Amino acid sequence: MMRNESDVVPGEDDDSSSRPLLASDEEPCARENEVFSQERSPGTPCDSPSWMVGLRHRAKLCRERLLSQKFAVTSQFVVSAKMWNRTIPTRNCDVLTTFPAQTDDDTLMWVLARLRARVPELNVHVRHHSNTGVYGFYLTASYEHLLRGAEELAIRKPIKSEYGGGNKEFVHEDQEYFVGVDDSSTFLTSEERQSIVRHFLFNLRAHQGDQLDRIRFLEGQAIVPVLMSRCVIDQVLPLHCPEDLAHLREHWVQAFFHSQPLDRVCDYFGVKIALYFAYLGHYTKALLCPAFLGLLFWLLEGTHQYTDDVCFVLFAFFNVAWATLYLENWKRKGAEYAYKWGTLDKEDELLVEPRALFHGRIVRSTVTGRFEPLYPSWKRNLFRYFVSLPVILMCLSVVFIILWWILELQNWVNIKVHSGATPFFCKFLPKILLAICISLLDDVYKKIAIWLNNKENHRLDVTYENNLIIKLVLFQFVNSFLSLFYIAFYLQDMQQLKDQLAALLITRQVIGNIREAVLPYVMEKIKLFKIGYKVVEAMSPETLERQIRELEENDKRSQSSSREEEEEKEGRDDGWRGGQSRSSPDSDEILTRKVCNEEIEEVKTGLTLGQAEVEACMKKYEDTFEDYLEMLIQFGYVTLFSSAFPMAAMCALLNNIIEIRSDAFKLCMTFQRPFGQRVENIGIWQHGLELMSIIAVMVNSALIGISDLADRLFPGWGTVERIVFIVFLEHFVLAVKFLVAYAIPDIPHKVAEEKARLEFLRREALKKMKRSLRICRR
């Protein structure tokens, strides 16, 4: 039977007495000392030569046994560390579905029977991960079925030049019109294969009367999403493609001073993640202008008071103009990427499958003809305006009051410290209290926001995500910017505003990179090390020594044949696909057991772990929410208050250079591979950035109005005149901003022109085909 997975079966070669043997290594030493004390008479002098020789001999034996015990423990750690470095690629599997360890055979067979009967497009193999105890369904599909799935998902593929060229939705009956359709290894990318297999899996529908334990299914309801929401299915994940992943690690993660291979990222991770990295790279390049201009103003700072005031006002106006032009340029650039990757035309929402947790009155859809829940929009709006909105405002008010009180406490403590009434270390106590409160309030508010979002019962995943983003961003805005507003407009202390902005920006960036990339990587390796140590711990010393020798021989063999493998790799296709893999030199023993006439496989390969087993233990990548949120807050720091701290853009630029590679690192090294998603743009985050730029106009206008330059230009103005000036300036700048945004089209002319040209060529090609068909009929 062909080897598919590398799962060590503990205890297969183990000696049942191996653990007591290690635990009792000190017992012979104690027995020998007891015999020696009995042999020695009470009158024997302590310095007797024969007695000393016996003592040294017995001490030597004890040391040797203790050293052997320590060597055995050290060997266990060494072998455990090597186990998760020697993973075997999983064959013939695009998508892995795992079940909890305590899942019974009846549940597995219930799901398996319906998959094989109702989704014949899928090839399913059931395997048991002996090291973790979980069961897995290994899913793939034939090339013919994958092509039909590509048509169902409307995946765009390139058309031959004689038929008009460009990209078009794949049609199975017209497959001969598409470029490279005959090559099954390259026509569909691994991301597209996995999306199609996932589509087949989630298209498993319930029939009338289907029931699993206490879970009752409605006719036409998708089974897998419901089982995932009820924790019957643990996770559904796509497997990494070893060779494509190695290429990305070399040319993306490690290529620090090279441009990003965005097309390869799109082919591997999907359009949504590729658009995030395209946005991050574009934003980083755009920061060059404010970064170096801010560096110039920072160097000029302190030379003369008038120069400082002029630089302050000029940089405030520059921030507003830069934010407007940058966002308009990104919309055009994003449209180019979307057109290039075939997602510029958005799919109708009525064709998208509802969320698994979406509930309502069951009716037949007028679009698809299937039974699906229907929830009236007036109920959702009623809950949103009369429950969600008041609860959110109340939460924000509580956060505002607590943070305001802590900031007032900080101001009072600072006064006491400066006067010498309290020790210097008391200055840090309110800051510690602020950090604790922010962390606690963040966790509480996130739970409340998720509960409110679930109660609103959104039909689609994208609308659910957008509404959750709005709720969480409101809290993060208050959380991140309240202290800056307090210092700028209440205390009106520009020096303290500069210090606070620098502290927030730098601290948030350092902690964010450690929390997002370094910490998950360390925790994932510790988790895999524990799995390996659990396997090695159960082995006898003889088995352990034999495995160590095998590991050393394999390492020497792999080093000696590395050059030959590189030469072979150059002659092979560079794109490994999910349903294909290369053979491994290790010999495997496949164990099978039958449950209800179904075979469940267990593969024993010695001290190795299978790729699927390792990736199932990794942490799931929770979408791009945290990454976009971090960039949104940073964009606010740069545009709102950087006139007080001109080096803010430079700090953001240096952080983003590292952020690109750290985000790539966590995707390629730490987290599970996410399913690719086809999106038209960056979604609601574009609106968030535009809203932040509008707030930047208001904030910078207010900063100019309260600056020292305004006092010198208009010395006799009071509060009313100053407010009128700020409002007039803000309205004037907003009017110019909106005119500029309206004048710049969102879609570049070359993209619109290319779309029209391809459509014309396709129509002409269709006319030629019709004329040739008529001639053949005559």
Side-chain angles (χ1 to χ4, degrees):
M1 186 179 294
M2 184 175 58
R3 177 176 144 271
N4 293 289
E5 185 64 15
S6 147
D7 291 333
V8 180
V9 182
E12 191 71 21
D13 293 333
D14 301 350
D15 187 357
S16 59
S17 61
S18 59
R19 293 298 300 276
L21 179 62
L22 290 176
S24 61
D25 279 343
E26 296 182 4
E27 293 180 4
C29 298
R31 288 195 299 268
E32 290 177 1
N33 290 333
E34 182 180 356
V35 172
F36 166 74
S37 62
Q38 292 175 358
E39 292 177 352
R40 175 174 170 264
S41 60
T44 304
C46 294
D47 56 351
S48 173
S50 60
W51 183 85
M52 291 296 293
V53 172
L55 178 61
R56 292 193 187 101
H57 178 68
R58 291 173 176 82
K60 182 180 179 181
L61 292 177
C62 290
R63 285 196 302 269
E64 290 177 354
R65 290 187 177 92
L66 291 175
L67 286 174
S68 64
Q69 179 185 4
K70 292 180 179 179
F71 176 76
V73 175
T74 305
S75 301
Q76 290 177 354
F77 279 101
V78 172
V79 175
S80 301
K82 288 186 176 182
M83 281 190 64
W84 50 264
N85 284 325
R86 299 181 71 249
T87 57
I88 295 179
T90 299
R91 290 184 177 185
N92 300 327
C93 178
D94 291 296
V95 176
L96 174 66
T97 301
T98 63
F99 295 80
Q102 67 275 13
T103 304
D104 55 40
D105 293 340
D106 293 337
T107 301
L108 293 174
M109 294 304 108
W110 188 93
V111 179
L112 181 61
R114 280 150 184 80
L115 271 176
R116 290 184 169 168
R118 302 174 189 176
V119 191
E121 298 88 352
L122 287 179
N123 298 328
V124 187
H125 295 279
V126 186
R127 293 167 194 161
H128 179 244
H129 296 169
S130 58
N131 298 319
T132 56
V134 303
Y135 290 90
F137 285 2
Y138 289 56
L139 309 175
T140 186
S142 65
Y143 184 58
E144 181 66 20
H145 288 138
L146 289 173
L147 291 180
R148 295 187 182 276
E151 179 179 5
E152 294 178 12
L153 292 181
I155 295 178
R156 289 176 175 264
K157 304 302 290 185
I159 297 181
K160 297 177 181 178
S161 58
E162 57 266 29
Y163 300 111
N167 292 333
K168 193 178 184 301
E169 292 88 355
F170 181 79
V171 179
H172 185 266
E173 294 181 354
D174 302 332
Q175 58 180 282
E176 64 273 9
Y177 301 151
F178 292 86
V179 179
V181 70
D182 296 330
D183 190 352
S184 61
S185 63
T186 59
F187 182 69
L188 295 173
T189 65
S190 61
E191 182 272 326
E192 290 170 344
R193 290 175 60 98
Q194 291 165 347
S195 297
I196 295 170
V197 172
R198 181 180 182 271
H199 167 70
F200 289 153
L201 177 64
F202 279 58
N203 206 32
L204 174 61
R205 302 285 172 175
H207 291 179
Q208 187 175 4
D210 275 349
Q211 180 176 349
L212 176 60
D213 293 335
R214 297 182 180 180
I215 304 174
R216 294 184 179 180
F217 297 92
L218 301 172
E219 184 179 357
Q221 189 176 17
I223 292 179
V224 174
V226 175
L227 295 180
M228 293 179 66
S229 64
R230 302 292 290 271
C231 299
V232 176
I233 293 179
D234 189 17
Q235 55 185 342
V236 176
L237 66 145
L239 295 183
H240 274 293
C241 179
E243 292 191 359
D244 287 350
L245 185 62
H247 183 276
L248 288 177
R249 288 176 178 174
E250 180 181 356
H251 296 89
W252 187 32
V253 180
Q254 301 173 6
F256 203 83
F257 297 103
H258 294 76
S259 59
Q260 299 185 83
L262 293 176
D263 291 337
R264 295 295 293 261
V265 175
C266 179
D267 290 341
Y268 193 77
F269 289 110
V271 178
K272 186 174 185 179
I273 290 178
L275 266 181
Y276 163 72
F277 282 98
Y279 158 76
L280 183 56
H282 182 270
Y283 172 50
T284 303
K285 291 178 182 178
L287 281 172
L288 289 171
C289 190
F292 286 101
L293 184 62
L295 177 63
L296 176 63
F297 287 166
W298 182 71
L299 294 175
L300 295 174
E301 195 175 75
T303 57
H304 191 274
Q305 183 62 39
Y306 181 77
T307 305
D308 292 347
D309 294 339
V310 172
C311 289
F312 181 89
V313 174
L314 288 178
F315 202 59
F317 278 117
F318 172 81
N319 285 334
V320 174
W322 171 81
T324 302
L325 295 176
Y326 154 68
L327 290 176
E328 292 303 314
N329 183 260
W330 162 248
K331 282 195 289 187
R332 295 166 59 83
K333 193 67 176 177
E336 291 183 17
Y337 283 122
Y339 175 72
K340 181 180 180 181
W341 295 331
T343 59
L344 189 58
D345 299 326
K346 190 176 180 181
E347 185 179 8
D348 195 293
E349 292 184 352
L350 294 176
L351 296 176
V352 181
E353 190 71 25
R355 290 191 315 122
L357 298 179
F358 178 66
H359 59 84
R361 185 168 55 91
I362 302 300
V363 297
R364 186 181 293 274
S365 172
T366 57
V367 178
T368 63
R370 297 171 178 166
F371 287 101
E372 62 180 40
L374 176 65
Y375 190 78
S377 58
W378 65 266
K379 288 186 178 181
R380 183 180 302 110
N381 293 331
L382 190 68
F383 185 88
R384 180 184 298 170
Y385 295 126
F386 290 96
V387 179
S388 295
L389 184 60
V391 171
I392 291 173
L393 293 177
M394 184 183 68
C395 292
L396 293 179
S397 301
V398 171
V399 172
F400 183 85
I401 292 171
I402 293 175
L403 296 182
W404 183 277
W405 178 81
I406 295 176
L407 292 172
E408 286 287 337
L409 178 63
Q410 178 73 63
N411 189 34
W412 179 78
V413 170
N414 290 341
I415 295 174
K416 291 293 184 181
V417 170
H418 291 158
S419 63
T422 57
F424 178 77
F425 70 87
C426 294
K427 185 177 181 180
F428 300 99
L429 295 179
K431 295 181 179 180
I432 297 174
L433 180 62
L434 177 63
I436 295 174
C437 289
I438 287 175
S439 179
L440 294 176
L441 292 173
D442 191 9
D443 294 338
V444 173
Y445 181 79
K446 188 173 184 179
K447 293 179 181 179
I448 295 174
I450 293 175
W451 179 81
L452 292 173
N453 220 46
N454 291 335
K455 288 295 183 181
E456 290 176 6
N457 194 26
H458 298 280
R459 179 180 181 271
L460 301 179
D461 287 315
V462 63
T463 54
Y464 177 88
E465 179 183 344
N466 289 341
N467 282 272
L468 183 60
I469 288 173
I470 292 173
K471 295 178 179 66
L472 294 178
V473 165
L474 286 173
F475 175 81
Q476 288 294 335
F477 184 85
V478 175
N479 194 11
S480 302
F481 294 99
L482 179 61
S483 61
L484 299 177
F485 279 99
Y486 172 82
I487 296 171
F489 301 112
Y490 184 75
L491 299 180
Q492 296 188 7
D493 188 341
M494 292 302 158
Q495 183 60 40
Q496 187 177 350
L497 176 64
K498 174 183 175 181
D499 297 340
Q500 182 73 4
L501 178 58
L504 286 175
L505 188 60
I506 297 173
T507 304
R508 190 183 186 101
Q509 290 174 351
V510 172
I511 295 177
N513 284 325
I514 294 175
R515 181 173 55 86
E516 290 179 6
V518 179
L519 188 60
Y521 179 78
V522 174
M523 297 303 295
E524 186 252 338
K525 294 305 178 186
I526 291 175
K527 187 176 182 180
L528 293 178
F529 177 82
K530 289 181 178 179
I531 295 174
Y533 186 76
K534 182 180 178 181
V535 176
V536 176
E537 190 181 23
M539 292 183 177
S540 65
E542 294 79 7
T543 305
L544 184 60
E545 291 178 4
R546 186 175 69 252
Q547 295 291 352
I548 292 175
R549 288 195 300 269
E550 291 179 2
L551 286 175
E552 293 175 351
E553 292 175 359
N554 290 334
D555 291 339
K556 292 179 181 179
R557 192 184 304 116
S558 62
Q559 291 176 2
S560 63
S561 61
S562 59
R563 293 183 179 180
E564 297 178 0
E565 291 179 356
E566 290 179 0
E567 294 176 357
E568 291 178 1
K569 185 177 179 180
E570 292 177 358
R572 289 191 303 250
D573 181 22
D574 188 44
W576 180 91
R577 301 304 167 201
Q580 304 169 356
S581 69
R582 301 189 177 92
S583 61
S584 175
D586 300 332
S587 59
D588 305 334
E589 178 185 356
I590 298 180
L591 309 176
T592 61
R593 65 184 180 92
K594 283 195 173 183
V595 178
C596 300
N597 296 324
E598 293 289 346
E599 288 188 350
I600 299 180
E601 300 178 355
E602 289 192 29
V603 185
K604 182 184 175 183
T605 57
L607 287 179
T608 50
L609 293 174
Q611 175 193 352
E613 187 171 9
V614 171
E615 293 185 16
C617 297
M618 291 181 176
K619 187 177 180 181
K620 182 181 179 181
Y621 180 71
E622 298 294 346
D623 208 5
T624 55
F625 171 78
E626 293 291 339
D627 300 321
Y628 275 120
L629 180 61
E630 181 182 358
M631 291 299 105
L632 178 65
I633 299 300
Q634 184 196 92
F635 182 75
Y637 286 146
V638 172
T639 56
L640 266 62
F641 296 101
S642 62
S643 54
F645 179 52
M647 286 294 290
M650 180 61 73
C651 293
L653 174 63
L654 296 176
N655 171 79
N656 288 1
I657 293 174
I658 301 174
E659 184 77 20
I660 293 175
R661 306 305 167 180
S662 65
D663 287 347
F665 174 84
K666 70 182 183 182
L667 274 170
C668 295
M669 303 290 292
T670 305
F671 291 94
Q672 293 176 355
R673 181 181 182 179
F675 281 104
Q677 298 184 46
R678 303 169 64 207
V679 295
E680 186 177 7
N681 46 47
I682 63 174
I684 197 172
W685 298 107
Q686 179 73 35
H687 302 300
L689 293 169
E690 292 175 353
L691 180 61
M692 193 70 75
S693 67
I694 294 174
I695 298 175
V697 173
M698 303 176 184
V699 171
N700 283 279
S701 300
L703 290 175
I704 293 173
I706 64 175
S707 64
D708 295 336
L709 182 63
D711 292 336
R712 279 189 287 274
L713 291 177
F714 312 104
W717 276 10
T719 305
V720 177
E721 291 84 357
R722 194 181 296 268
I723 292 175
V724 171
F725 170 75
I726 292 173
V727 172
F728 173 79
L729 180 63
E730 173 250 326
H731 278 65
F732 175 76
V733 175
L734 280 178
V736 175
K737 172 183 170 59
F738 289 137
L739 285 175
V740 171
Y742 179 77
I744 301 176
D746 294 343
I747 299 179
H749 176 70
K750 63 179 182 180
V751 173
E753 189 178 53
E754 181 68 13
K755 289 178 65 178
R757 186 184 70 84
L758 290 177
E759 184 63 28
F760 172 77
L761 292 176
R762 288 171 188 165
R763 290 181 181 180
E764 291 298 315
L766 182 61
K767 291 179 182 178
K768 291 180 181 179
M769 290 175 60
K770 289 182 178 179
R771 283 196 295 266
S772 61
L773 184 62
R774 290 173 184 171
I775 294 174
C776 292
R777 288 179 177 177
R778 291 176 184 175

mmCIF file of all heavy atoms in Angstrom, residues 358 360-361 374-381:
data_model
loop_
_atom_site.group_PDB
_atom_site.id
_atom_site.type_symbol
_atom_site.label_atom_id
_atom_site.label_comp_id
_atom_site.label_asym_id
_atom_site.label_seq_id
_atom_site.Cartn_x
_atom_site.Cartn_y
_atom_site.Cartn_z
ATOM 1 N N PHE A 358 -26.328 31.531 10.680
ATOM 2 C CA PHE A 358 -27.466 32.359 10.276
ATOM 3 C C PHE A 358 -28.750 31.555 10.426
ATOM 4 O O PHE A 358 -28.845 30.408 9.978
ATOM 5 C CB PHE A 358 -27.278 32.802 8.824
ATOM 6 C CG PHE A 358 -28.415 33.612 8.280
ATOM 7 C CD1 PHE A 358 -28.697 34.873 8.776
ATOM 8 C CD2 PHE A 358 -29.209 33.100 7.271
ATOM 9 C CE1 PHE A 358 -29.749 35.620 8.269
ATOM 10 C CE2 PHE A 358 -30.268 33.837 6.758
ATOM 11 C CZ PHE A 358 -30.535 35.106 7.254
ATOM 12 N N GLY A 360 -33.313 31.645 10.798
ATOM 13 C CA GLY A 360 -34.537 32.348 10.434
ATOM 14 C C GLY A 360 -35.576 31.363 9.936
ATOM 15 O O GLY A 360 -35.423 30.139 10.038
ATOM 16 N N ARG A 361 -36.632 31.884 9.375
ATOM 17 C CA ARG A 361 -37.694 31.057 8.838
ATOM 18 C C ARG A 361 -37.226 30.380 7.556
ATOM 19 O O ARG A 361 -36.671 31.025 6.669
ATOM 20 C CB ARG A 361 -38.925 31.922 8.553
ATOM 21 C CG ARG A 361 -40.162 31.147 8.099
ATOM 22 C CD ARG A 361 -41.381 32.059 8.131
ATOM 23 N NE ARG A 361 -41.165 33.258 7.343
ATOM 24 C CZ ARG A 361 -41.471 33.374 6.043
ATOM 25 N NH1 ARG A 361 -42.017 32.359 5.393
ATOM 26 N NH2 ARG A 361 -41.250 34.510 5.403
ATOM 27 N N LEU A 374 -34.495 32.628 6.214
ATOM 28 C CA LEU A 374 -34.849 34.000 5.834
ATOM 29 C C LEU A 374 -35.102 34.798 7.101
ATOM 30 O O LEU A 374 -35.950 34.419 7.929
ATOM 31 C CB LEU A 374 -36.085 34.007 4.928
ATOM 32 C CG LEU A 374 -36.605 35.400 4.535
ATOM 33 C CD1 LEU A 374 -35.575 36.133 3.680
ATOM 34 C CD2 LEU A 374 -37.940 35.291 3.794
ATOM 35 N N TYR A 375 -34.351 35.872 7.266
ATOM 36 C CA TYR A 375 -34.488 36.723 8.453
ATOM 37 C C TYR A 375 -34.788 38.136 7.981
ATOM 38 O O TYR A 375 -33.988 38.737 7.247
ATOM 39 C CB TYR A 375 -33.201 36.692 9.275
ATOM 40 C CG TYR A 375 -33.311 37.336 10.636
ATOM 41 C CD1 TYR A 375 -33.920 36.677 11.697
ATOM 42 C CD2 TYR A 375 -32.804 38.608 10.859
ATOM 43 C CE1 TYR A 375 -34.008 37.262 12.946
ATOM 44 C CE2 TYR A 375 -32.883 39.200 12.108
ATOM 45 C CZ TYR A 375 -33.491 38.519 13.146
ATOM 46 O OH TYR A 375 -33.590 39.109 14.385
ATOM 47 N N PRO A 376 -35.926 38.717 8.345
ATOM 48 C CA PRO A 376 -36.289 40.049 7.851
ATOM 49 C C PRO A 376 -35.318 41.120 8.339
ATOM 50 O O PRO A 376 -34.873 41.104 9.493
ATOM 51 C CB PRO A 376 -37.699 40.269 8.419
ATOM 52 C CG PRO A 376 -37.831 39.306 9.538
ATOM 53 C CD PRO A 376 -36.965 38.138 9.224
ATOM 54 N N SER A 377 -34.996 42.041 7.462
ATOM 55 C CA SER A 377 -34.012 43.083 7.791
ATOM 56 C C SER A 377 -34.520 44.033 8.862
ATOM 57 O O SER A 377 -33.725 44.608 9.610
ATOM 58 C CB SER A 377 -33.641 43.861 6.527
ATOM 59 O OG SER A 377 -34.799 44.433 5.949
ATOM 60 N N TRP A 378 -35.862 44.205 8.992
ATOM 61 C CA TRP A 378 -36.373 45.147 9.986
ATOM 62 C C TRP A 378 -36.097 44.650 11.406
ATOM 63 O O TRP A 378 -35.879 45.455 12.321
ATOM 64 C CB TRP A 378 -37.866 45.402 9.775
ATOM 65 C CG TRP A 378 -38.759 44.205 10.000
ATOM 66 C CD1 TRP A 378 -39.203 43.331 9.067
ATOM 67 C CD2 TRP A 378 -39.319 43.781 11.246
ATOM 68 N NE1 TRP A 378 -39.999 42.371 9.632
ATOM 69 C CE2 TRP A 378 -40.100 42.628 10.985
ATOM 70 C CE3 TRP A 378 -39.257 44.254 12.553
ATOM 71 C CZ2 TRP A 378 -40.790 41.949 11.985
ATOM 72 C CZ3 TRP A 378 -39.953 43.582 13.548
ATOM 73 C CH2 TRP A 378 -40.699 42.445 13.265
ATOM 74 N N LYS A 379 -36.089 43.331 11.593
ATOM 75 C CA LYS A 379 -35.746 42.797 12.916
ATOM 76 C C LYS A 379 -34.283 43.093 13.261
ATOM 77 O O LYS A 379 -33.965 43.459 14.394
ATOM 78 C CB LYS A 379 -35.999 41.291 12.954
ATOM 79 C CG LYS A 379 -37.456 40.891 12.980
ATOM 80 C CD LYS A 379 -37.583 39.377 13.159
ATOM 81 C CE LYS A 379 -39.042 38.955 13.239
ATOM 82 N NZ LYS A 379 -39.192 37.487 13.431
ATOM 83 N N ARG A 380 -33.412 42.930 12.266
ATOM 84 C CA ARG A 380 -31.994 43.204 12.499
ATOM 85 C C ARG A 380 -31.778 44.692 12.802
ATOM 86 O O ARG A 380 -31.028 45.037 13.726
ATOM 87 C CB ARG A 380 -31.183 42.798 11.271
ATOM 88 C CG ARG A 380 -29.681 42.982 11.428
ATOM 89 C CD ARG A 380 -28.931 42.559 10.179
ATOM 90 N NE ARG A 380 -29.183 41.174 9.832
ATOM 91 C CZ ARG A 380 -29.878 40.792 8.775
ATOM 92 N NH1 ARG A 380 -30.396 41.695 7.969
ATOM 93 N NH2 ARG A 380 -30.090 39.503 8.536
ATOM 94 N N ASN A 381 -32.417 45.554 12.041
ATOM 95 C CA ASN A 381 -32.264 46.992 12.276
ATOM 96 C C ASN A 381 -32.848 47.401 13.624
ATOM 97 O O ASN A 381 -32.309 48.290 14.297
ATOM 98 C CB ASN A 381 -32.927 47.781 11.150
ATOM 99 C CG ASN A 381 -32.210 47.605 9.824
ATOM 100 O OD1 ASN A 381 -30.998 47.375 9.783
ATOM 101 N ND2 ASN A 381 -32.954 47.690 8.728
#
